[in-house]
Amino acid sequence: MKNLPLIISKIENFFSLEANQLIILLIILLAFYGNTVFNGFVHDDRAEIVKNKYLHSGEYWGKIFTGCTRELQLEGCWGKGFYYRPIKIASNFVAYRISSSPWIFHLFNIVYVYILAVLLLRFYTFFLKNKITAFCSVLLFLTHPINTEVVNWISASQETLMAIFALLSFQYYLKYHTERKSGHLLISSLFFLGTMFSKETGVFLILVFLGYELFQKRSLDIFKATIKNYQLILFYVVPILIYFFSRYLVLGTFFTNDILRNTRDISFATHLQTSVWLFGAYFSKLFLPLPLNIFHSIDISKLPVQGILFSVLLLFSFLVALFFSFRKKEIVPFLGLLWWLTFISVPVIFIGALGRNILAERYLFVTSVGIILVFTYVIQRWMDKKRQYFNKPLVKIAVFLSIILYLAITWKIDFMRSKDFKDNIALYKATIKYSPNNADLYYNLALSYSDIQDVANATYYYKKAVEVDPQDYRSHNNLGTIYLSAGDLGSAEREYKLAIDANPRLYAVYYNLANVYIKLNDFDRAIWALKKTLELKPDLVQARQKIERLIKEGQAH
């Protein structure tokens, strides 16, 4: 027991060295996520990578800056594309040059997360002024179960890339404040452009810069602060203009069309209460992350009143805390709260751009950087006040063992969660467990079984999809195709008609229905279906050729 304080001192010194911290973080990262390299492509990965011919050949390198996410699926970008993310496309392009197998993309993800961990270590060390507390903050970020989705899912790499560029931009912004060198500001603005090129919501980082400037000037007069720092602001306005100009040239729009289109479908009151509820829901997920789920089914017409009231009180508390940290000149809580409020406001306010999945764990990846800063700062302040107690050797050992226990628990959660991303079947089954009333999930699971020629399971899950949502025209259409292949023409006709009832604008369904009528020797109705196909898709040569063949052979009158 006499040597215990000396041993503890040596352990603290060991964990205080940055080189040792970086090695430990790498070991932790590999222990938690090393198994992801054995996982395959899942969900959006197939459209963005597997079926994206622009990645498959080096001749399409120009598509890095002139293409958009899912360009082939959308049949173009102009007026159709949603996301302009050239940094992410460049990452996938380089990875594909090495290998087309999923392991290389997962390895890239792990490398990006490690780079982010290094940047976070320096970020937290700068503000917390305590190397061990900063190290624990990064450990909390790396191992938090809520972040497993981003690390495991290749198509979510934009979150990591945006975080990397945002921290680099902020780091050089701080260097400018310290050294007053314009070169640092220029580098910061370039990294800011990279933040937006990684993900469009990176544009909101400018609010963090503006808030930091207000804090430094000790003024809430935004207009006055902007005028006095017009040169600094100009360094960040120019990248914004470059980004939106580039986005317009490729997509033909400055904003995502879904933001407006989907928002019109709900009233302002519903939108407001949903946004407020989401604020509390996201915060709760940080402290109660289980169950982890890639798709949370939320019925915005049935949001719990107590959840909305909790969110109102929480939002009010955050704003009050932000104000008082500003008045009391507490930069750490101010910056952490500002970071959280800035980046969480995007998925909370612009719910129209999120489609059906309005609560997604990946949106907490970047935002958690700020809340972890505040959390560890509060813990550090509390421990400093109780220094006499926490300096006791046995207490230090208890704290160390608590951290080890936390790592053991989160490793179990994170490691097992990684297995859910093994392939589409594993992922969708795990997701359906907690979202059993989502037709999209059943449809995607059925597609996954179709890919491996498992017709029985594909049929079962297509039926489950239409059972949950009778208007799911995709599942009706695919069921019709399964029945057509099996020779069950009556069932095929029924499913195709149900698909048309649900969505009469699908030319492919009419074309499929025409094939059913041809097999039934009902050539008049076959030509009717083919003509409907051409009304919707005039350039479909196969439909026109079939009509000509049927008429030429005298099989219809």
Side-chain angles (χ1 to χ4, degrees):
M1 293 292 291
K2 291 182 179 180
N3 295 326
L4 190 57
L6 180 60
I7 295 173
I8 292 175
S9 178
K10 288 183 176 180
I11 292 175
E12 288 178 338
N13 290 335
F14 176 83
F15 282 102
S16 296
L17 293 175
E18 185 180 36
N20 294 338
Q21 291 177 338
L22 295 177
I23 293 172
I24 295 170
L25 288 175
L26 179 59
I27 293 172
I28 291 290
L29 180 61
L30 294 177
F32 274 69
Y33 295 110
N35 63 330
T36 63
V37 297
F38 302 108
N39 290 343
F41 294 115
V42 297
H43 202 46
D44 292 343
D45 298 344
R46 296 185 65 79
E48 293 189 19
I49 299 171
V50 180
K51 297 182 178 180
N52 186 358
K53 73 174 184 180
Y54 295 134
L55 290 183
H56 301 172
S57 174
E59 66 179 294
Y60 293 113
W61 64 268
K63 283 292 182 180
I64 291 174
F65 285 96
T66 62
C68 62
T69 302
R70 295 192 174 193
E71 180 175 352
L72 287 172
Q73 187 179 14
L74 297 170
E75 298 180 347
C77 293
W78 184 266
K80 300 177 182 179
F82 305 133
Y83 306 121
Y84 180 62
R85 299 168 178 175
I87 297 292
K88 177 183 177 180
I89 295 176
S91 173
N92 289 338
F93 189 84
V94 173
Y96 205 95
R97 303 282 72 74
I98 300 173
S99 175
S100 60
S101 299
W103 69 267
I104 188 63
F105 295 90
H106 286 294
L107 182 60
F108 268 47
N109 260 10
I110 292 175
V111 171
Y112 292 147
V113 174
Y114 183 67
I115 293 172
L116 178 59
V118 174
L119 294 172
L120 280 173
L121 182 61
R122 292 170 183 173
F123 175 78
Y124 287 138
T125 301
F126 180 86
F127 286 103
L128 295 172
K129 310 301 182 185
N130 184 302
K131 292 183 178 181
I132 292 181
T133 305
F135 176 68
C136 291
S137 300
V138 182
L139 276 184
L140 180 57
F141 178 86
L142 276 185
T143 61
H144 199 300
I146 205 69
N147 290 331
T148 56
E149 180 177 310
V150 171
V151 185
N152 279 282
W153 189 17
I154 297 168
S155 291
S157 62
Q158 70 272 2
E159 306 293 335
T160 314
L161 292 167
M162 179 175 72
I164 289 172
F165 280 98
L167 285 173
L168 284 170
S169 180
F170 195 73
Q171 176 181 314
Y172 277 93
Y173 165 79
L174 292 174
K175 283 188 176 183
Y176 166 76
H177 265 284
T178 303
E179 303 175 16
R180 290 295 170 180
K181 292 182 179 179
S182 299
H184 290 151
L185 202 56
L186 176 61
I187 296 173
S188 174
S189 66
L190 291 175
F191 281 131
F192 178 48
L193 181 60
T195 305
M196 293 180 286
F197 276 161
S198 298
K199 188 181 179 184
E200 51 283 336
T201 51
V203 68
F204 290 94
L205 180 63
I206 196 172
L207 297 180
V208 178
F209 292 134
L210 183 57
Y212 195 87
E213 285 298 313
L214 293 175
F215 185 91
Q216 294 296 319
K217 304 300 180 184
R218 301 290 189 267
S219 171
L220 289 174
D221 191 336
I222 297 177
F223 179 76
K224 185 178 180 180
T226 302
I227 295 298
K228 284 188 174 183
N229 296 276
Y230 72 93
Q231 289 180 323
L232 185 147
I233 299 299
L234 189 63
F235 269 98
Y236 295 104
V237 170
V238 170
I240 291 176
L241 294 176
I242 292 173
Y243 170 75
F244 280 106
F245 180 71
S246 302
R247 179 184 174 89
Y248 181 80
L249 289 179
V250 175
L251 303 183
T253 179
F254 293 112
F255 304 101
T256 300
N257 294 330
D258 279 359
I259 291 178
L260 297 176
R261 185 173 66 242
N262 293 341
T263 303
R264 296 192 192 103
D265 296 336
I266 58 176
S267 66
F268 174 77
T270 301
H271 190 136
L272 179 61
Q273 74 173 17
T274 302
S275 294
V276 171
W277 178 85
L278 279 173
F279 182 84
Y282 274 117
F283 183 79
S284 299
K285 262 292 178 182
L286 284 174
F287 294 92
L288 299 170
L290 302 180
L292 299 172
N293 201 1
I294 198 172
F295 195 109
H296 295 272
S297 296
I298 308 295
D299 186 348
I300 62 175
S301 65
K302 299 179 181 179
L303 296 177
V305 176
Q306 61 270 28
I308 297 174
L309 292 176
F310 166 75
S311 296
V312 171
L313 292 174
L314 185 66
L315 179 58
F316 178 75
S317 300
F318 265 88
L319 294 175
V320 170
L322 184 69
F323 176 76
F324 277 103
S325 61
F326 178 87
R327 294 298 298 269
K328 293 184 177 182
K329 302 178 182 180
E330 294 280 358
I331 183 59
V332 177
F334 176 79
L335 178 62
L337 291 169
L338 179 64
W339 187 286
W340 159 265
L341 289 170
T342 296
F343 286 104
I344 200 61
S345 64
V346 180
V348 163
I349 295 174
F350 301 107
I351 58 176
L354 306 180
R356 299 182 184 181
N357 195 15
I358 63 172
L359 179 63
E361 293 161 10
R362 60 186 175 276
Y363 299 139
L364 282 169
F365 188 78
V366 177
T367 57
S368 63
V369 170
I371 211 69
I372 287 174
L373 177 63
V374 176
F375 177 75
T376 51
Y377 173 77
V378 171
I379 296 296
Q380 179 179 279
R381 289 285 297 268
W382 174 66
M383 292 180 71
D384 286 343
K385 289 182 179 179
K386 304 286 184 179
R387 185 175 301 173
Q388 186 175 359
Y389 174 75
F390 282 102
N391 278 340
K392 295 179 180 179
L394 291 179
V395 175
K396 287 185 176 182
I397 291 175
V399 171
F400 180 75
L401 292 177
S402 298
I403 294 174
I404 296 298
L405 178 61
Y406 164 80
L407 290 175
I409 293 172
T410 52
W411 176 84
K412 176 69 173 178
I413 295 171
D414 295 357
F415 191 83
M416 296 305 294
R417 178 58 173 163
S418 294
K419 293 184 177 181
D420 290 339
F421 286 82
K422 178 183 178 182
D423 54 38
N424 272 335
I425 292 175
L427 179 61
Y428 294 135
K429 281 190 172 181
T431 308
I432 286 171
K433 189 186 302 182
Y434 299 109
S435 301
N437 297 318
N438 189 295
D440 289 338
L441 295 174
Y442 290 111
Y443 170 77
N444 289 332
L445 182 54
L447 276 181
S448 302
Y449 277 114
S450 294
D451 288 341
I452 60 173
Q453 310 302 315
D454 189 339
V455 178
N457 273 310
T459 303
Y460 174 78
Y461 285 108
Y462 282 134
K463 287 181 177 179
K464 289 290 293 182
V466 297
E467 179 183 319
V468 171
D469 180 9
Q471 298 300 305
D472 185 3
Y473 56 86
R474 303 164 303 172
S475 293
H476 282 301
N477 178 59
N478 290 0
L479 275 173
T481 301
I482 289 175
Y483 289 133
L484 179 60
S485 299
D488 188 349
L489 302 180
S491 296
E493 181 185 12
R494 181 188 70 244
E495 293 298 334
Y496 287 139
K497 285 184 174 180
L498 288 171
I500 290 171
D501 289 341
N503 189 343
R505 303 298 301 170
L506 292 173
Y507 74 89
V509 183
Y510 283 104
Y511 185 80
N512 293 336
L513 183 60
N515 289 328
V516 173
Y517 291 139
I518 290 173
K519 287 184 176 292
L520 288 171
N521 293 321
D522 192 340
F523 303 120
D524 289 328
R525 284 204 289 178
I527 287 184
W528 167 83
L530 289 169
K531 286 182 177 179
K532 291 292 292 183
T533 302
L534 290 172
E535 286 179 15
L536 299 170
K537 184 75 171 175
D539 59 344
L540 190 63
V541 178
Q542 298 95 317
R544 196 173 303 279
Q545 289 175 341
K546 281 193 176 183
I547 291 176
E548 292 173 354
R549 179 174 58 83
L550 291 173
I551 295 175
K552 184 177 180 180
E553 293 178 359
Q555 293 174 319
H557 303 283

